[in-house]
Structures are given as C-alpha cells and as structure tokens.
Amino acid sequence: FENDAPKSLRKLIEDGGKKEMLDPTYPYSDRMVRDEYEDTLDALQIELVKMQDWVLRTGARVVVIFEGRDAAGKGGTISRVRQNLNPRVVRTVALAKPTPKEAGEWYFQRYIKHLPSAGNITLFDRSWYNRGVVEHVFGFCTPEQREHWFMQAPELERMLVNDGVHVIKIWLNVGRAEQLRRFLAREADPLKHWKLSSIDVKGLSKWDAYTDAISETLTRTHTDVAPWTVIRSEDKRRARIGAIRHILSRLPCDLADPAVIGEQDDSIVGGPELILRDA
Amino acid sequence: FENDAPKSLRKLIEDGGKKEMLDPTYPYSDRMVRDEYEDTLDALQIELVKMQDWVLRTGARVVVIFEGRDAAGKGGTISRVRQNLNPRVVRTVALAKPTPKEAGEWYFQRYIKHLPSAGNITLFDRSWYNRGVVEHVFGFCTPEQREHWFMQAPELERMLVNDGVHVIKIWLNVGRAEQLRRFLAREADPLKHWKLSSIDVKGLSKWDAYTDAISETLTRTHTDVAPWTVIRSEDKRRARIGAIRHILSRLPCDLADPAVIGEQDDSIVGGPELILRDA
Amino acid sequence: FENDAPKSLRKLIEDGGKKEMLDPTYPYSDRMVRDEYEDTLDALQIELVKMQDWVLRTGARVVVIFEGRDAAGKGGTISRVRQNLNPRVVRTVALAKPTPKEAGEWYFQRYIKHLPSAGNITLFDRSWYNRGVVEHVFGFCTPEQREHWFMQAPELERMLVNDGVHVIKIWLNVGRAEQLRRFLAREADPLKHWKLSSIDVKGLSKWDAYTDAISETLTRTHTDVAPWTVIRSEDKRRARIGAIRHILSRLPCDLADPAVIGEQDDSIVGGPELILRDA
Amino acid sequence: FENDAPKSLRKLIEDGGKKEMLDPTYPYSDRMVRDEYEDTLDALQIELVKMQDWVLRTGARVVVIFEGRDAAGKGGTISRVRQNLNPRVVRTVALAKPTPKEAGEWYFQRYIKHLPSAGNITLFDRSWYNRGVVEHVFGFCTPEQREHWFMQAPELERMLVNDGVHVIKIWLNVGRAEQLRRFLAREADPLKHWKLSSIDVKGLSKWDAYTDAISETLTRTHTDVAPWTVIRSEDKRRARIGAIRHILSRLPCDLADPAVIGEQDDSIVGGPELILRDA
Ligand SMILES: Nc1ncnc2c1ncn2[C@@H]1O[C@H](COP(=O)(O)OP(=O)(O)O)[C@@H](O)[C@H]1O
Ligand SMILES: Nc1ncnc2c1ncn2[C@@H]1O[C@H](COP(=O)(O)OP(=O)(O)O)[C@@H](O)[C@H]1O
Ligand SMILES: Nc1ncnc2c1ncn2[C@@H]1O[C@H](COP(=O)(O)OP(=O)(O)O)[C@@H](O)[C@H]1O
Ligand SMILES: Nc1ncnc2c1ncn2[C@@H]1O[C@H](COP(=O)(O)O)[C@@H](O)[C@H]1O
C-alpha cells in the first residue's frame, strides 16, 4: 500500500535512521533517552495514582479525550496513563462505528452513556470529534450534519464543564513521514498488523483533506471551558510524558506534587496554534 | 392520612357528587359524556396510528414529556396514547429514583440514554423535571443544584430540537380537592392502593411548596423551541383528548386529518398562564 | 392476502356471526357475556395486586412466558395481567429480531438479560420458544440449531427453577378460522393494521408446518419443573381469565383468596394434550 | 498489617533474596531469565495474534476464566494476553461486587451478559467462581447458596460448551510466603498501594479457609467439558508463558504453529492434582 504515499516520503523514511525524527520542524532530532524517559514516567505514574486517590475521595469526574490522526499514538499514550490505575476507576472508551440504531440517535447519545459517574475517569480513544474529521473526510456525514455538530459539540462540553466535569482534550499530532513510517512498521510486524485498518490505508491519500478538517475542527472547538492541547508526538516518549503532565496540571488535585509534575515542554505541547502554524 | 389535608377540602369532597368537578374555576361542571368521549378518542386513535406510520416512514424522533402533580393523570393519559401503537415504536420511560451510580452522573445522563432513535417515540412519565419540582420540594437536591439545572434543562432541550428531535412537553394540572379525591379513591381501591406512594402522602401537606416550585419551573423552562402545554385535568376525559390532540397538532405529520384532530379547547389547554393565573 | 387461506375457511368466517365461535371443537358456542367477564376479571385483578404485594414482600422472582401463534391473543392477555400492576415491578419483554451481535451470542443470552431480580415479574411476549416454532417454520435457524436448542431450553429452565425462580409457561391456542378472522379484522381496522406483519401473512400458508412445530415443541419441553399450560383462546375473554387464574394458582402466594381465584375451566385450560389431541 | 501473618513467613521473606522462589516445593529456585522470557513471550504473542485472526475469521467464541488467590498474578497475566490484541475483539471483564439489583438476580446473570458474541474473546478476571471461594470464606453467601451453586456452575459451563463456546479455566496458584511478599511489595509501592484491598488484608488470616474452599471448588467443578488448568505462579514469568501456551493449545486454531507454541512445562502446569497434592 505504500505506493499510495508520495515517493519523496518513502525516500525520507528509507534514509532516516530507526530512531531519528523525520520531521525537520520537530524541535528534537532524537528520541528522549530511555533512562530519562523511564525515570520521568515512573515519577509521573505516582502522581497519577495520587490523582486517582483524589478522584475517589472527592467524587470528581474526569473526561480525557484523546484525538489525532491514525498512528498518532493515542492507544499507547492511553495505556501509559492507565498502567498503574485501578480499572474500576478508569475506563477507556473506544466505540466501534455506529450501529444502525445508534446512527438514528442524537449524535452524542452513545458517547454520553459512557460519561463518568462520581469518582470515575473516562478516557476516550477517539470521541465525538470523529464527526469533525474522519467522518467528514470519508463522507460518513453530510456537510450540514457537520456544521450542525460544530454548534453542538462546544455547547455540550460547556454543559458538562458547568456541571463540574473536568474535560481535558488532547490532540496528538504526527507528521506525514512519521505516520507512514509507523504504518509500514505495523505492516511488517505480525503483532501489529491488525492495527492497520482499511480506513488507515485509504486515509494515506487523503492527508490534505485530513489537515484541513483538523485545522477547522481545532479552531472551531477550542473554547475557554474546554480548550485543546496539542502535543507533537513525533517522539512518542516525549508525547506520553507531555500528555500525563498535562492531565495532572489541569486537575485541581491537591495531592499532586508540582515539583514532580515538572514544567511542560512548550516546544511540543501547546494550544492549536502549535499545529496550525505548520499545517 | 386524609387528616393531613385541610378540613374544608374534605368537606368539599364529601359533598361533591362522584362525577362533579370540585374546582369552581374549572370551566365544566360535569365530565364529558361517555359516548362523546369514546367517539372522539377512537377517531384520534386512528390519527395516532397514522402519525406512527409517519414516524416510521420519515425516521422522525419524538419525545413527549408528561409532567404534573401526583394523581394528575399522567399514567392514564400515556396509556391512552399508546393503546393502539406498536410497543416496538413507542416506549414509555418511567425511571425509578436514581441509583448511587446514577446520582453521581451528569443529571441528564440517565434520561438521555432513553432518547428515541430514528423512527421511535419516547413517552416520559416524569422526566428531568423532577429536579424542578419533587426533588426540590423534598430536599433531594440542593438549591444550587436546582439553579444550575434551570440553566441546563432549556439548553439541553434546545440542542435536541436543533438536532431535529420533536420535543413536546405536557403539564397536567389538577386542583387540590380533586387530587385528594383521587388519593382517597386509590386508598379505598385494592387495585390502586399500591399507586399511593409515601411521596404522595407526604406531598399532601406540601401543596403550596409544590405550587411555588411548579410556577417557577413552568416560567423558567417555557422556551420557544420547547414550550409547555398545560392541560387542566380535573376531567380526565377532556384532558386525555386534549393531550392527544396537542401531540398530533405539534407534529408536522402529513398524514393526519386536521378535520378529525379538531380544535383544541382553549379553556382547558394552553400555555403556562392557564395555571399561573390560578396558582 | 386472504386468498392465501383455503376457501372453506373464508366461507366459514363469512357465515359466522361476529361473536360466534368458529371452531366446532371449542366447548362454548358463544363468548362469555360481558358482565360476567368484567366481574370475574375485576375480582382476579385484586388477587393479582395481592400477588404483587407478595412478590415485593418476599423478593420472589416470577417469569411468565406467553406463547402462541400470531393473533392468539398474547398481547391482549398480557395487558390484562398488567393492567393494575406497578410498571416498576412488572416488565413486559418483547424482543425484536436478533441484531447481528445478538445472533452471534449464546441463544439464550439476550433473554437471560431480562430475567427478574428479586421482587420483580417478567412477562415474556414471545420468548426463547421462537426457535422451536417461528424460526423453524421460516428457516431462520438450522435443524441442528433447533435440535441443540431442544436440549438446552429445558436445562436452562431447570436451572432457573432450581434457583427459586417461578417459571410459568402459557401457550395460547387459536384455531385456523379464528386466526384468519382476527387477521381480517386487523386488516380492516386502521387501529390494528400495523399489527399485521409480513411474518403473519406469510405464516397463513404455513399452518401445518406451524402445527407440527408446535406439537413437537410442546411435547419436548413439557417438563416437571416447567410444564406448559395450554389455553384455548377462541374466546379471548375466557382465555384471559384462564391465564390469570393459572398464574395465581401456580404461585405459593399466601395472600391470594382461593375462593376468589376459583376453579379452572378444564375444558379450555390444561396440559399440552388439550391441543395435541386436535392438532 | 503484616503482623497478621505468621512470624515464620515473615522471616522467610526477609531472608529470601528479591528474586528467589520462596516455596521449597516449587521446581525452580530462580525466575526465568529475562531474555528467555521475552523471546518466548514475543513468539507466543504472534501466535495469539494468529489466534485472533482465527477467531474473527471463524466467528469462534472464547471465554477464558482467570482465578486464583489475591496477588496470584491474574491481572498481570491477562494484560500479557491482551497486549497485542485488538480491544474490540478481546474484552476483560472484572465485575465489582454485586449491586442490590444484581444480588437479587440469578447468580450467573450478570456474568452471562458479558459472554462473547461470535468473533469475540472474553477474559474474566475473577468470575462466577467467587461464590466457591471468596464469597464463602467471607460469608457473603450462605452454605446453601454455595451448595446450590456447585450444582449450577458445571451445568452452565456444559451448556456453553455444547453451544460451541470455548471455555478455558485457569487457576493461578501462589504459595503463602510469596503472596505475603507481593502484598508487602504492594504496600511499599505507591504505584500499587491501591491494589491492596481490605479483602486482601483480611484474607491473610484466612489462608486455611481459602485453601479448603479452593480444594473443594477445584474438585467439584473440574469437568470433562470445562476442566481446570492449574498454573503454579511463584515465578510470574513462567506462569504467564504457561497460561498463554495453554490457551493456544486448547483452541482448535489452525493458524497456530505447534513448534512455536512449544511444550507445556508439566512441573508447573497441570490439573487440580498439582495443587491438591500440596494443599
Ligand atoms: N461508516 C462509518 N461511519 C462513521 N464512523 C466510522 C465509519 N467507519 C469507521 N468509522 C470510524 O472511523 C474511526 C477510524 O476507523 P478505524 O481506523 O477503522 O479505527 P481505529 O482507528 O479505531 O482502529 C473509528 O472511530 C470508526 O468508528
Ligand atoms: N430473521 C429473523 N430471525 C429470527 N427471528 C425472527 C426473524 N424475523 C422475525 N423473527 C421473530 O419472529 C417473531 C414473529 O415476528 P412478527 O410476526 O414480525 O412479530 P410479532 O408477532 O411480535 O408482531 C418475532 O419474535 C420476531 O422477533
Ligand atoms: N459483599 C460482597 N459480596 C460479594 N462479593 C464481594 C463482596 N465484597 C467483595 N466481593 C468480591 O470479592 C472479590 C475480591 O475483592 P477485592 O479483593 O476487593 O477485589 P480485587 O481482588 O478485584 O481487587 C471481588 O470479585 C469482589 O467483587
Ligand atoms: N431520594 C430521591 N431522590 C430523587 N428523586 C426521588 C427520590 N425519591 C423519589 N424520587 C422521585 O420522585 C418521584 C415521585 O416518587 P414516587 O411518588 O415515589 O413515584 C419519582 O420520579 C421518583 O423517582
């Protein structure tokens, strides 16, 4: 399938070393070194466990939405967040494509069903933002439906936030060459082969349509109560750390230790402008 | 339990004939005669079946909310609406008091779960309006929660209407003497005894608190997209006919025959002012 | 569609008066008179309410399965049983045809989901017996699946009964002419038109296949712990009374008044032999 | 809490090296070396992915029950099984303690709800075997309920197997000293602290009651159609490999490569006798 991707990209990947960053605009040329990554991650995991205590104790409700192109690293990031948390407290929701019954319902209905009760955390692996991007790019919704959705999504989020739900929206961003490299790796790896869906492959030739849809979505749904945080995830390690750090810093969780949480890396974590600039 | 009600009321009931209207402000002194009731109801039932065809054919989604004090006639009205409709198309939703899990969720979540898919009709026997009235009167929610809910309920309804859901809100209104008469009848009737809940009995002495809560709720949630229709239901027969007529007239259902649907009786069916006047 | 039915049948119906019994083997030539029906029904309804009290008080679990050919009167009987009962205690379950997901599950799974918790009564309007009859007649299952099901259905019922669930199985039986008369009435009545499904119409020409499937099913699933009760329902009134009487008499409900429940009418209520004889 | 455990045990743990096996009857004195573990695991993971293809292609339904004392390694083993599988195909079910509604239902009902549809795999992290062991030891069920359950569990499993469901039951076994060591490690580790439930701690002083309950349960529910496989999990690595190997070898999965799956290690994987001997 790689023939669907431009030649120049494929050349780039062949030339690139295994661990080298392919996107010249990415601020680091190499992955974070393993030791630093593991130490930082371990420390943050402890803060996540404290955060979980806080959620249980205060009955807080937390929603984290993970979005991004295919192979942007949503699944891997989510599993690092969950790693040491109680599965009875934290749930991951990755909905399949809507059944006919669901397709006839209010668009948000099947997602709302999974919102957390007091003392619970819901991690959405893809979310209602499907309508903004993948459904649009593949024509699974009409332009009118999408326009309508652009009105409703921010309203719904505002209602949730007003109700006291903590809503955190993370957009993982990956460059075109890196995405292709990951697809090729999935292709080659018998363990990951199944991860390559037909939507992924067909999406390869729709890079620009995706870019436009993403820009519009980020711009129109970046609100004061539920802002987007974009994380450049060329380097998965830095991205995972950035995501956990962001989650911890967004919650008014008195148990967390600010010194451990550390400073966010502004060169790879920021608002939509981080991505819109180079979009 | 009748001792919880003022003496004057009890006298009124004793003096009143079985079928006489107890509320002097009610525009009719007697029930609609049986034959007229049955003929009108039969004709309207046929229109409801046509409406059901229209729902199925067009994939419309219809929500009808039935509210009102205890013994206002919600259950009986709903069963006349459903009588000849397909149970796979029309569902009645009468939720029990929230479980602890539900109590920790976004207030509207457990109701949203039951919103209709395309080609379905949901009849709510009580609804999210519990928070405006019964939860308030009995202290099951805080004043802050109720204030917050007053902001959210109209917003949610607006979102549903914008999404194309038909939202019809019916408030059945019953006077104090008539309510007590019905309670006494339930009390006396082994078939209906179970209908008398402890909330009903305790509510007797809270008539005025209910009245205030109802006035405020009707006023603050009567919106252009989801207006309230109040039906005076001293006479259950006229009220049932009024409700069905209202449902039929609110839906853009091309199959219905306006001549059969007939004119609404403005003296017992109208906006909130109908009730606020004599509240 | 009536042309699908034999001429002789149609003649019978035309000749028959509106209320006359069409089946010469039915022991009554006329319907039960209205007054007797209503008085008896009212008295039994009171016993049902007492039974409901007993269920709530003891935490009993009751399952009643209503089966029978189309138009045998399942829906009408169920609604008379429920009429004065609390909808939070008694639930009717009428499942639609299996979704693809359900079709891939253990056959009983989607039914088991609806079994009652303590203090609840579930009325099944059709049930797992679909596999024995309608799925077989229409080829919705393979003969192997049905054979397998014949082993499992009695085992499952035995497990439920051993667990203390009260399992009552009622088979409503209607003759060929009466069924056709009811279909024609549905056809003619705008209120009931929608009740006539394509399965009903196609089923007309499969009368004998149905008869065989029913005989086999009744024979092979009539067990000591979960026996079948067959009720001849040519006269709907007598059938409804028979069904309620049967339910009441099967439950060890100390509140019920045996004098009111009365004697069962053996000429129309009995074991499978009642039907197998004339099948 | 460690004072709840006998002194001798605590001494054993203090003396033992970090990686040394504490149970003298365990056939290995050291953990499997990391490299061998990782290579073997990687190879088996590929076979699991092939197995997943087979499940999807043939519409097979697979249930794997993971049981064992607290800290026996259920969670870790399950996560190694899932690691490279599609979350839409494989679901883990870890039910919380029954709600009042669930407690009133047929004991198996809440588990049956999660049985796989065609093309799905369900991994039960604890299961209906709770009644045999933990509910018994803590008095959450009566002896009669447990006796009754001993009749029903094998019957239910037989029904599932007859229906074509693949039912695999794995019992992870851990010695008393090793369990305590793991509890102490959880206690000390801020990441795992939350894993230590009050049931775990209270269970410490109930070792023998557990042992008896386990022996009885294994003996009475070890059937031809749904046999138990016991895996000694003093060494978590060998146990995980044993579990995956067992799952692969139990499924008639034509894609798997027997050479890769390899031979089972009979000294740590076997029938209930493996554990009953030293119980
Ligand atoms: N026909 C469809 N209508 C709406 N959404 C769809 C449709 N097909 C796929 N999707 C959605 O598009 C997203 C991407 O699909 P895919 O790449 O197959 O899944 P994933 O990225 O979760 O592996 C998923 O959230 C899926 O639910
Ligand atoms: N394709 C199918 N597979 C299995 N069962 C089916 C299928 N189609 C219809 N049925 C079942 O056959 C029964 C009779 O169907 P129908 O006459 O349409 O419904 P009803 O009698 O409830 O009005 C129903 O229980 C329905 O679920
Ligand atoms: N009151 C109870 N009744 C029945 N089962 C219970 C009860 N309390 C706990 N359990 C069950 O005992 C098992 C062990 O409990 P626990 O150690 O707290 O959970 P886990 O081992 O999953 O962390 C769980 O499956 C739980 O559902
Ligand atoms: N503790 C409670 N919290 C919230 N709502 C309640 C509570 N108790 C009763 N209700 C609601 O009050 C309404 C009237 O109750 P009842 O008359 O008992 O049916 C129902 O809609 C109940 O769900």
Side-chain angles (χ1 to χ4, degrees):
Chain A
F1 67 83
E2 62 253 68
N3 299 326
D4 288 348
K7 235 185 190 163
S8 57
L9 273 190
R10 284 179 277 145
K11 177 101 177 57
L12 200 63
I13 294 168
E14 271 159 43
D15 292 354
K18 221 184 145 181
K19 287 158 194 184
E20 201 177 293
M21 297 297 115
L22 297 179
D23 183 340
T25 74
Y26 190 74
Y28 301 94
S29 58
D30 284 293
R31 295 204 286 177
M32 181 181 261
V33 289
R34 180 189 272 267
D35 279 359
E36 188 190 345
Y37 168 60
E38 291 190 343
D39 291 350
T40 315
L41 190 61
D42 283 357
L44 289 172
Q45 296 275 357
I46 294 180
E47 300 305 308
L48 281 172
V49 170
K50 290 189 203 163
M51 185 271 282
Q52 170 176 270
D53 286 342
W54 167 78
V55 164
L56 279 169
R57 188 167 39 79
T58 63
R61 290 168 292 161
V62 179
V63 167
V64 191
I65 289 178
F66 290 86
E67 282 288 349
R69 294 179 194 254
D70 291 303
K74 298 181 290 293
T77 306
I78 287 171
S79 80
R80 265 48 167 215
V81 173
R82 298 200 57 157
Q83 199 160 354
N84 292 286
L85 301 180
N86 187 342
R88 301 232 176 92
V89 172
V90 185
R91 312 212 173 231
T92 307
V93 175
L95 299 186
K97 74 172 198 217
T99 63
K101 181 169 173 293
E102 288 170 341
E105 294 172 351
W106 182 32
Y107 184 69
F108 298 94
Q109 196 161 333
R110 65 189 200 124
Y111 295 102
I112 288 174
K113 204 173 142 185
H114 295 282
L115 290 174
S117 181
N120 282 115
I121 300 170
T122 302
L123 310 179
F124 282 103
D125 181 350
R126 299 181 169 283
S127 65
W128 47 78
Y129 283 95
N130 266 8
R131 178 137 293 178
V133 183
V134 57
E135 293 186 24
H136 174 61
V137 169
F138 280 91
F140 297 148
C141 66
T142 65
E144 291 72 35
Q145 286 179 310
R146 187 168 175 251
E147 262 316 302
H148 173 65
W149 172 90
F150 269 128
M151 313 253 310
Q152 299 220 321
E155 280 183 50
L156 175 68
E157 292 169 11
R158 185 175 299 275
M159 291 184 79
L160 296 179
V161 171
N162 282 345
D163 202 61
V165 180
H166 299 276
V167 176
I168 299 174
K169 306 193 298 193
I170 293 177
W171 196 282
L172 295 174
N173 186 57
V174 68
R176 191 166 189 181
E178 181 61 26
Q179 185 192 45
L180 183 57
R181 175 156 73 180
R182 292 180 188 174
F183 280 169
L184 292 173
R186 287 184 180 180
E187 168 84 314
D189 183 347
L191 285 177
K192 294 187 176 154
H193 197 121
W194 61 267
K195 282 198 182 174
L196 209 58
S197 75
S198 78
I199 295 253
D200 295 346
V201 174
K202 286 188 214 138
L204 269 179
S205 57
K206 296 181 190 281
W207 180 267
D208 294 332
Y210 262 107
T211 305
D212 291 347
I214 292 170
S215 300
E216 188 179 2
T217 299
L218 286 177
T219 311
R220 296 180 68 176
T221 61
H222 182 61
T223 60
D224 51 345
V225 297
W228 277 107
T229 294
V230 169
I231 302 183
R232 297 188 64 176
S233 62
E234 298 286 308
D235 175 9
K236 288 182 181 181
R237 292 176 177 170
R238 287 192 179 85
R240 288 167 187 169
I241 283 171
I244 297 177
R245 208 169 248 159
H246 178 64
I247 293 169
L248 290 167
S249 69
R250 276 293 304 279
L251 297 171
C253 162
D254 49 347
L255 295 162
D257 180 343
V260 173
I261 296 180
E263 286 289 294
Q264 199 50 278
D265 178 346
D266 293 342
S267 68
I268 59 162
V269 180
E273 66 286 356
L274 202 75
I275 220 181
L276 297 181
R277 228 188 294 125
D278 65 273
Chain B
F1 67 83
E2 62 253 68
N3 299 326
D4 288 348
K7 236 186 189 159
S8 58
L9 270 191
R10 284 180 278 145
K11 175 101 178 59
L12 199 63
I13 293 169
E14 271 159 42
D15 293 354
K18 221 183 144 182
K19 286 157 196 187
E20 201 177 293
M21 297 298 115
L22 297 178
D23 183 341
T25 74
Y26 191 73
Y28 300 94
S29 59
D30 284 295
R31 294 205 287 178
M32 181 182 260
V33 289
R34 179 189 272 269
D35 280 359
E36 188 189 345
Y37 169 61
E38 290 190 344
D39 290 351
T40 315
L41 190 61
D42 282 358
L44 289 172
Q45 295 277 357
I46 294 180
E47 299 306 307
L48 281 172
V49 170
K50 289 189 203 163
M51 185 272 282
Q52 170 175 271
D53 287 342
W54 166 78
V55 164
L56 280 169
R57 188 167 39 79
T58 62
R61 288 167 294 161
V62 179
V63 167
V64 191
I65 288 177
F66 291 86
E67 281 289 348
R69 293 179 195 256
D70 291 304
K74 297 182 290 295
T77 306
I78 288 172
S79 81
R80 266 44 167 217
V81 173
R82 297 200 57 158
Q83 198 161 354
N84 292 286
L85 301 181
N86 188 342
R88 302 232 175 92
V89 172
V90 185
R91 312 215 172 228
T92 306
V93 174
L95 299 186
K97 75 172 196 216
T99 64
K101 182 170 174 291
E102 288 170 342
E105 294 173 349
W106 182 33
Y107 184 70
F108 298 94
Q109 196 162 333
R110 66 188 198 124
Y111 295 102
I112 288 174
K113 205 174 140 183
H114 295 282
L115 290 175
S117 181
N120 282 116
I121 299 170
T122 301
L123 309 179
F124 281 102
D125 181 350
R126 297 181 170 281
S127 64
W128 47 79
Y129 283 95
N130 267 7
R131 179 137 290 179
V133 184
V134 58
E135 293 186 24
H136 174 59
V137 169
F138 282 92
F140 298 147
C141 67
T142 66
E144 291 72 35
Q145 285 179 311
R146 186 166 174 253
E147 263 314 303
H148 173 64
W149 172 89
F150 269 128
M151 312 253 310
Q152 298 219 321
E155 279 182 52
L156 176 68
E157 293 169 11
R158 186 176 299 275
M159 289 184 80
L160 296 180
V161 171
N162 283 344
D163 201 61
V165 179
H166 299 276
V167 177
I168 299 174
K169 305 193 300 194
I170 292 177
W171 196 282
L172 295 174
N173 187 59
V174 69
R176 192 165 187 181
E178 180 62 24
Q179 187 193 43
L180 183 58
R181 175 156 72 180
R182 291 180 189 173
F183 282 168
L184 292 172
R186 286 186 182 179
E187 169 83 314
D189 183 348
L191 284 177
K192 294 188 176 155
H193 198 121
W194 62 266
K195 282 198 181 174
L196 209 58
S197 75
S198 78
I199 296 251
D200 293 347
V201 175
K202 285 187 214 139
L204 270 178
S205 57
K206 295 182 190 280
W207 179 267
D208 294 332
Y210 262 107
T211 304
D212 290 347
I214 292 170
S215 299
E216 188 178 1
T217 300
L218 285 177
T219 312
R220 295 180 69 177
T221 61
H222 183 62
T223 59
D224 53 343
V225 297
W228 277 107
T229 293
V230 169
I231 302 183
R232 297 188 64 176
S233 61
E234 298 286 307
D235 175 8
K236 288 182 182 181
R237 291 176 177 171
R238 286 192 180 84
R240 288 167 187 170
I241 282 171
I244 297 178
R245 209 169 248 158
H246 178 63
I247 293 169
L248 288 167
S249 70
R250 276 293 305 277
L251 297 171
C253 163
D254 47 349
L255 295 162
D257 180 343
V260 174
I261 296 179
E263 286 290 294
Q264 198 50 279
D265 178 345
D266 292 341
S267 67
I268 59 161
V269 180
E273 65 287 355
L274 202 73
I275 220 181
L276 298 181
R277 228 186 295 126
D278 65 275
Chain C
F1 68 85
E2 63 253 71
N3 300 327
D4 288 350
K7 237 187 189 159
S8 58
L9 271 192
R10 284 179 277 146
K11 177 103 176 56
L12 200 63
I13 294 168
E14 272 159 43
D15 293 354
K18 221 183 145 184
K19 287 156 195 186
E20 201 177 292
M21 297 296 117
L22 297 179
D23 183 338
T25 74
Y26 190 71
Y28 301 94
S29 58
D30 284 294
R31 295 204 286 178
M32 180 181 261
V33 289
R34 180 188 274 265
D35 279 358
E36 188 189 346
Y37 169 59
E38 290 189 344
D39 291 350
T40 316
L41 190 61
D42 283 358
L44 289 172
Q45 295 276 356
I46 295 180
E47 299 306 307
L48 282 172
V49 170
K50 289 189 203 163
M51 184 271 282
Q52 170 176 271
D53 286 342
W54 167 79
V55 164
L56 280 169
R57 189 168 39 79
T58 62
R61 288 168 292 160
V62 179
V63 168
V64 191
I65 289 177
F66 291 87
E67 281 288 349
R69 295 180 195 254
D70 290 304
K74 299 182 290 291
T77 306
I78 288 172
S79 81
R80 265 47 167 214
V81 172
R82 298 199 58 157
Q83 197 159 355
N84 292 286
L85 301 181
N86 187 342
R88 300 233 176 92
V89 172
V90 186
R91 306 208 179 235
T92 307
V93 175
L95 299 186
K97 73 173 200 216
T99 63
K101 181 170 172 293
E102 288 170 342
E105 294 172 351
W106 182 32
Y107 184 70
F108 298 94
Q109 196 160 333
R110 65 188 200 126
Y111 295 102
I112 288 174
K113 203 172 143 185
H114 295 281
L115 290 174
S117 181
N120 282 114
I121 300 170
T122 302
L123 309 179
F124 281 103
D125 181 350
R126 300 182 168 283
S127 65
W128 47 79
Y129 283 96
N130 266 9
R131 178 136 294 175
V133 184
V134 57
E135 292 186 23
H136 174 60
V137 169
F138 280 91
F140 298 147
C141 66
T142 65
E144 291 72 35
Q145 286 178 310
R146 186 168 175 251
E147 262 316 303
H148 173 63
W149 173 89
F150 268 128
M151 313 253 311
Q152 299 219 321
E155 279 182 52
L156 176 68
E157 293 169 9
R158 185 175 299 275
M159 290 184 80
L160 296 179
V161 171
N162 282 344
D163 202 60
V165 180
H166 300 276
V167 177
I168 299 174
K169 305 192 300 193
I170 292 177
W171 195 282
L172 294 173
N173 187 57
V174 68
R176 190 165 190 182
E178 181 61 25
Q179 185 192 44
L180 183 57
R181 174 155 74 178
R182 292 179 189 176
F183 281 168
L184 292 172
R186 287 184 180 181
E187 168 83 313
D189 183 348
L191 285 177
K192 294 186 176 157
H193 197 121
W194 62 266
K195 283 198 181 174
L196 209 58
S197 75
S198 79
I199 295 253
D200 294 347
V201 175
K202 286 188 214 138
L204 269 179
S205 57
K206 296 182 189 282
W207 179 267
D208 294 333
Y210 263 106
T211 305
D212 290 349
I214 292 170
S215 300
E216 188 177 2
T217 300
L218 285 177
T219 312
R220 296 179 68 175
T221 61
H222 183 62
T223 60
D224 52 344
V225 297
W228 277 107
T229 294
V230 169
I231 302 184
R232 297 188 64 175
S233 61
E234 298 286 307
D235 175 9
K236 288 181 182 183
R237 293 176 176 169
R238 288 191 178 85
R240 288 166 188 171
I241 283 171
I244 297 178
R245 208 168 248 159
H246 178 63
I247 293 169
L248 289 166
S249 70
R250 276 293 303 277
L251 297 172
C253 162
D254 48 348
L255 295 162
D257 179 344
V260 174
I261 296 180
E263 285 292 293
Q264 198 52 278
D265 178 345
D266 292 341
S267 68
I268 60 161
V269 180
E273 65 287 357
L274 202 73
I275 220 181
L276 297 181
R277 227 186 295 127
D278 65 274
Chain D
F1 68 84
E2 62 253 69
N3 299 326
D4 288 350
K7 236 188 190 159
S8 58
L9 270 192
R10 284 179 278 145
K11 174 103 177 58
L12 199 63
I13 293 169
E14 271 159 41
D15 293 353
K18 222 182 142 181
K19 287 159 193 183
E20 202 177 291
M21 297 297 115
L22 297 178
D23 183 340
T25 74
Y26 190 72
Y28 300 94
S29 59
D30 284 294
R31 294 205 287 178
M32 181 181 262
V33 289
R34 179 188 274 267
D35 279 358
E36 188 189 345
Y37 169 59
E38 290 189 344
D39 290 350
T40 315
L41 190 61
D42 283 357
L44 288 172
Q45 295 276 357
I46 295 180
E47 299 306 307
L48 282 172
V49 170
K50 289 190 203 162
M51 184 271 281
Q52 169 175 271
D53 286 342
W54 167 78
V55 164
L56 279 170
R57 190 167 38 79
T58 62
R61 288 168 294 160
V62 179
V63 168
V64 191
I65 288 177
F66 291 86
E67 282 289 349
R69 294 179 194 256
D70 290 304
K74 299 183 289 293
T77 306
I78 288 172
S79 81
R80 265 47 167 216
V81 172
R82 296 200 57 157
Q83 198 160 355
N84 292 287
L85 301 181
N86 188 343
R88 302 234 175 91
V89 172
V90 185
R91 309 212 175 231
T92 307
V93 175
L95 299 186
K97 74 173 197 215
T99 63
K101 182 171 172 290
E102 288 171 342
E105 294 173 350
W106 182 33
Y107 184 70
F108 298 94
Q109 197 162 333
R110 65 188 199 125
Y111 295 102
I112 287 175
K113 203 173 142 184
H114 295 282
L115 290 174
S117 180
N120 282 116
I121 300 169
T122 302
L123 309 179
F124 282 103
D125 181 350
R126 301 181 168 281
S127 65
W128 47 79
Y129 283 96
N130 266 8
R131 179 137 291 177
V133 183
V134 58
E135 293 186 23
H136 174 61
V137 169
F138 281 91
F140 298 147
C141 66
T142 65
E144 292 71 35
Q145 286 179 311
R146 186 167 175 252
E147 262 315 303
H148 173 63
W149 172 89
F150 269 128
M151 313 253 311
Q152 298 219 321
E155 279 181 53
L156 175 68
E157 292 169 10
R158 185 175 298 276
M159 289 184 81
L160 296 180
V161 171
N162 282 345
D163 201 60
V165 180
H166 300 275
V167 177
I168 298 175
K169 305 193 300 193
I170 292 177
W171 196 282
L172 295 173
N173 187 59
V174 69
R176 191 164 189 183
E178 180 62 24
Q179 187 192 44
L180 183 56
R181 174 154 75 179
R182 291 179 189 175
F183 281 168
L184 292 172
R186 286 184 181 180
E187 169 83 314
D189 183 347
L191 284 177
K192 294 186 176 156
H193 198 120
W194 61 265
K195 282 199 181 173
L196 209 59
S197 74
S198 78
I199 295 254
D200 294 347
V201 175
K202 286 187 214 139
L204 269 179
S205 58
K206 296 182 190 280
W207 180 268
D208 294 332
Y210 262 107
T211 305
D212 291 348
I214 293 170
S215 299
E216 188 178 1
T217 299
L218 285 177
T219 312
R220 294 180 68 177
T221 60
H222 183 61
T223 59
D224 51 345
V225 297
W228 278 106
T229 294
V230 169
I231 301 183
R232 298 189 63 177
S233 62
E234 297 287 307
D235 175 8
K236 288 183 183 182
R237 291 175 178 171
R238 286 191 179 86
R240 288 166 187 171
I241 283 171
I244 297 177
R245 209 169 248 160
H246 178 63
I247 294 169
L248 289 167
S249 71
R250 276 293 304 277
L251 296 171
C253 162
D254 47 349
L255 294 163
D257 179 344
V260 175
I261 296 179
E263 285 290 293
Q264 198 52 277
D265 178 344
D266 292 342
S267 67
I268 59 162
V269 180
E273 66 287 355
L274 202 72
I275 220 181
L276 298 181
R277 228 186 295 127
D278 65 275

